Amino acid sequence: MRNISFSDEEQSDILPKTATLWWRTPQDFDENGHLKVDISDLSKLTPRLKILREMERLAYISTEGLEDLRHKLIAYRAGDFWLPVGGLKKEDMEIAPVITIVLVGLCASGKSSLVNYMYSVLGRSGLIPFAQTSSGNSHYTTMFLEEHNVLRSMRSGFCVYDTRGLDTNDMIEGLDEVSTWMTRGVRHNQPCFRHDDYNNNNKITNKRYTKRNVDCAIIVADLSEINKAFISGDLKDVVALKSLFNNSSIRKSNENPLLILTHGDTVSAEERINSRLKICEFLGIPETTGVYDVACLTEQGILPEESDPVTAFALTEAVYRSLMQSDRNHQPKKKLKDWIMLFLTWILCCIGAFFAILANFFSKCSQPHNKKLKY
């Protein structure tokens, strides 16, 4: 994306008039919508000013950039963003026909709402809900993995998986399940039952659905809950979020996983900015790179694309960035020599395990004999 300075009046006038410019508070902007502080010198930018500058960038690009980025996603095919590295060609890489993006997060963080908003923005579906949410008085929880073709296209080059939220009271089991998805793959309608579920005996998966390897994980977090946690001092949810963010199975490269902050529209603009600053500092990540504030589409149908192009563009850019990250992490195809080495390694492991069992067996057999010698 372009580096844009928003200090002059001409550029500020180009910003979309229909956008909800929630970050433009009297504390930081004048009555004409101009920042009170000069941000031309990047070395003097504070973390707060960086967020304001990032929001201004999104607003400046959103009107024309949204449609352009959407068309790029429609035309995208798996591996389009791959760049030659290490002397390998594209045909030497293991690239699946469809890139798989998985949404993970704590319970009621807004994953299903985010999926519905993707359909609204990317698939032009209007306000039709494709994923059931737990907003309002509903206690619905996603019990099965759900694959979504958010572009609503037969030739879509990527899919998005909605998953069950993690329980902060049992993060070990939840993180183990996330690791299983990341290492063994996911399948549509795959059960997400936990040990305390009443119907956890009915773990039937339809094997006819294609099993997909996960290429990228996007972490979804409820900004309003983060705000409550920092205000009250009870950081249980925030600590759980950090353990998920730092999970080794999610980090497939040196890049941080993408973070989407939802439900920011339920707090004040000041709390929205401060909570983002605090959670980014707590996670040890930049305030702007790979972090997006997306107030999701709710059951009441708020935030259609036409009313808030800034949020719509932020969501579209997040998906675009996740595909770029996925294509950078493709691994080379295994050759015959690799399979032979893998087989030999397996044989050696089996032999080692066999001798370990024998050693343990003879060790136990010799113990009674040694006791008799003592007497």
Side-chain angles (χ1 to χ4, degrees):
M1 295 299 173
R2 295 172 291 176
N3 288 327
I4 304 168
S5 174
F6 304 99
S7 57
D8 40 54
E9 185 174 353
E10 180 182 355
Q11 289 175 333
S12 179
D13 292 339
I14 302 177
L15 294 177
K17 303 301 181 183
T18 58
T20 306
L21 307 177
W22 58 264
W23 62 91
R24 288 193 172 181
T25 60
Q27 175 185 344
D28 301 297
F29 292 83
D30 59 24
E31 60 276 5
N32 296 318
H34 303 146
L35 273 169
K36 296 179 179 179
V37 180
D38 181 20
I39 60 173
S40 57
D41 188 356
L42 300 182
S43 62
K44 296 182 180 179
L45 287 181
T46 63
R48 180 187 179 88
L49 287 176
K50 289 179 181 178
I51 290 180
L52 297 177
R53 184 175 183 272
E54 171 67 6
M55 297 307 301
E56 290 289 297
R57 179 189 74 85
L58 292 174
Y60 181 76
I61 303 175
S62 61
T63 304
E64 297 180 358
L66 175 59
E67 198 62 29
D68 178 59
L69 211 54
R70 181 176 174 273
H71 282 301
K72 288 182 179 180
L73 292 179
I74 293 174
Y76 171 81
R77 299 295 175 265
D80 280 357
F81 298 147
W82 182 84
L83 297 174
V85 290
L88 296 177
K89 300 179 180 179
K90 187 175 180 179
E91 51 267 25
D92 297 328
M93 308 304 292
E94 193 73 48
I95 302 177
V98 176
I99 296 298
T100 302
I101 302 171
V102 170
L103 303 180
V104 293
L106 303 181
C107 292
S109 58
K111 298 180 294 298
S112 299
S113 298
L114 193 65
V115 168
N116 286 332
Y117 195 35
M118 287 182 182
Y119 275 113
S120 177
V121 174
L122 304 178
R124 301 291 194 183
S125 65
L127 304 180
I128 301 174
F130 284 81
Q132 187 171 349
T133 65
S134 57
S135 59
N137 296 324
S138 171
H139 297 286
Y140 173 80
T141 300
T142 302
M143 302 298 292
F144 296 85
L145 297 180
E146 298 175 357
E147 179 176 316
H148 292 276
N149 180 354
V150 294
L151 288 177
R152 298 197 301 153
S153 169
M154 297 295 293
R155 302 178 62 230
S156 178
F158 68 95
C159 65
V160 177
Y161 266 80
D162 189 12
T163 66
R164 183 175 181 179
L166 307 186
D167 186 356
T168 55
N169 296 318
D170 196 357
M171 285 298 294
I172 295 178
E173 183 182 17
L175 292 176
D176 287 343
E177 190 171 32
V178 172
S179 298
T180 301
W181 299 334
M182 299 299 296
T183 56
R184 299 182 184 178
V186 292
R187 197 191 303 266
H188 180 61
N189 271 355
Q190 178 179 326
C192 301
F193 295 139
R194 308 279 164 79
H195 71 277
D196 55 347
D197 292 331
Y198 293 110
N199 55 345
N200 60 358
N201 293 323
N202 186 25
K203 296 186 178 182
I204 302 175
T205 304
N206 194 329
K207 300 297 183 181
R208 297 187 64 181
Y209 291 116
T210 302
K211 189 173 186 179
R212 304 192 188 278
N213 293 324
V214 178
D215 298 287
C216 181
I218 296 179
I219 296 179
V220 184
D222 187 338
L223 193 61
S224 64
E225 292 298 324
I226 292 173
N227 179 60
K228 292 177 184 178
F230 282 114
I231 291 177
S232 65
D234 183 6
L235 302 181
K236 183 178 180 180
D237 289 355
V238 178
V239 171
L241 180 63
K242 185 174 184 178
S243 64
L244 173 62
F245 191 87
N246 292 328
N247 188 276
S248 58
S249 63
I250 290 180
R251 292 174 171 266
K252 291 193 170 185
S253 65
N254 291 328
E255 297 179 280
N256 292 320
L258 297 181
L259 176 64
I260 294 184
L261 302 172
T262 62
H263 303 303
D265 55 317
T266 60
V267 298
S268 66
E270 190 66 24
E271 291 174 328
R272 198 168 179 173
I273 295 173
N274 289 338
S275 298
R276 177 170 174 173
L277 288 171
K278 290 178 181 178
I279 190 59
C280 290
E281 182 182 5
F282 191 82
L283 296 177
I285 59 175
E287 302 83 8
T288 56
T289 307
V291 182
Y292 295 92
D293 187 316
V294 179
C296 301
L297 190 70
T298 67
E299 289 179 345
Q300 288 72 33
I302 66 170
L303 284 178
E305 175 194 349
E306 290 77 15
S307 68
D308 191 358
V310 180
T311 301
F313 181 79
L315 173 67
T316 309
E317 186 178 281
V319 175
Y320 187 85
R321 185 186 288 269
S322 68
L323 294 178
M324 293 183 63
Q325 192 176 109
S326 299
D327 280 342
R328 284 198 293 265
N329 293 332
H330 293 307
Q331 299 299 315
K333 293 179 180 177
K334 287 186 172 61
K335 297 183 178 180
L336 179 61
K337 182 175 68 174
D338 299 321
W339 288 111
I340 293 175
M341 290 299 297
L342 186 63
F343 177 74
L344 292 177
T345 302
W346 180 78
I347 292 293
L348 291 175
C349 289
C350 291
I351 293 174
F354 174 73
F355 281 108
I357 293 173
L358 284 181
N360 185 54
F361 173 76
F362 287 115
S363 175
K364 290 182 178 179
C365 290
S366 64
Q367 287 179 0
H369 180 68
N370 292 336
K371 290 181 180 179
K372 290 180 181 180
L373 292 177
K374 289 181 181 180
Y375 292 106

